[in-house]
Amino acid sequence: MLKKVKRHSLKKHIEKNLTERDFSKRNEPLKYLGFVVDEAFFDDFEMLYEFGKELGLQRKDVKLFTFAETRRKIPSLRQNQITNKEFTWRGEIHNQNAQEFLDFPFDVLIGYYKGKHEFLGAMVAQSKAKFKIGFNGADERLFDLLLIVDLQKPEAFKSEVKKYLKILKKID
């Protein structure tokens, strides 16, 4: 029962954030890049930092935040992680690091996950990012650009994102 209430609240939060989104700075060039990643699907985070470097960014200008269904018992130094337990039944996020990440005005935010994902979708909707990129089957209302690419093939992902960032004049 509580899961249904939480899912309904997440949907309401997404709707609210979609109506409040500021599109005025959508065409800014790329200086800061953010990723929201589903850990169950992908865990080669170093590849994402390397991709930022290929785009001409320094490591400090590339940030990522991950979602794990449940926190592992093993102690972890990773602070940029959120679990479903950190979303209240009202759909609010209770994680200070996640809040800071979402409030940061990334020039491009990439939702690195497959399909629709309630928790990551809520994060993307709440993000103050200026331009948002998603992939196959994601909720198209959340993203400015949806790409059809196999995320298990990093080179295909990189080339598609680069191609569109050049077309949109976000990179040279």
Side-chain angles (χ1 to χ4, degrees):
M1 175 68 179
L2 196 58
K3 281 185 180 180
K4 273 189 173 183
V5 171
K6 187 185 270 191
R7 291 182 197 287
H8 179 71
S9 295
L10 283 172
K11 287 179 185 174
K12 283 176 64 174
H13 267 276
I14 288 172
E15 296 294 330
K16 178 180 167 266
N17 287 320
L18 286 173
T19 59
E20 295 174 355
R21 182 154 180 225
D22 176 17
F23 292 102
S24 64
K25 294 189 167 88
R26 185 188 274 179
N27 296 324
E28 297 280 312
L30 178 63
K31 291 184 206 123
Y32 299 104
L33 176 64
F35 290 94
V36 287
V37 181
D38 184 355
E39 279 190 39
F41 167 70
F42 184 80
D43 64 359
D44 183 8
F45 307 130
E46 196 56 41
M47 186 277 289
L48 299 175
Y49 287 113
E50 288 297 318
F51 180 56
K53 198 174 187 180
E54 289 174 31
L55 295 174
L57 299 174
Q58 294 181 13
R59 188 177 180 102
K60 68 178 179 58
D61 298 328
V62 178
K63 306 241 185 296
L64 61 102
F65 215 91
T66 65
F67 173 83
E69 197 63 40
T70 54
R71 202 169 298 283
R72 296 182 185 98
K73 300 278 187 231
I74 304 165
S76 171
L77 296 176
R78 187 173 317 135
Q79 295 177 352
N80 290 349
Q81 183 185 62
I82 194 166
T83 65
N84 59 358
K85 300 224 183 310
E86 292 167 282
F87 288 84
T88 68
W89 65 271
R90 285 185 269 151
E92 298 163 348
I93 296 173
H94 280 260
N95 178 317
Q96 185 60 39
N97 292 329
Q99 213 51 62
E100 288 172 16
F101 179 85
L102 297 174
D103 289 340
F104 191 83
F106 292 104
D107 298 303
V108 176
L109 178 74
I110 298 176
Y112 205 91
Y113 58 92
K114 279 186 185 174
K116 293 187 177 166
H117 192 294
E118 290 137 343
F119 299 106
L120 289 174
M123 289 183 71
V124 169
Q126 191 173 333
S127 171
K128 303 286 188 265
K130 299 166 188 166
F131 190 82
K132 301 174 184 180
I133 299 174
F135 298 94
N136 325 11
D139 186 345
E140 61 272 353
R141 300 170 306 156
L142 302 176
F143 298 100
D144 301 305
L145 176 65
L146 282 177
L147 301 175
I148 298 175
V149 73
D150 183 357
L151 292 176
Q152 300 291 31
K153 297 180 180 169
E155 291 309 312
F157 153 75
K158 289 178 183 181
S159 69
E160 278 297 291
V161 172
K162 273 186 202 173
K163 177 173 86 176
Y164 283 99
L165 290 178
K166 282 181 182 175
I167 290 170
L168 296 167
K169 296 183 178 18
K170 293 198 165 288
I171 60 173
D172 295 326

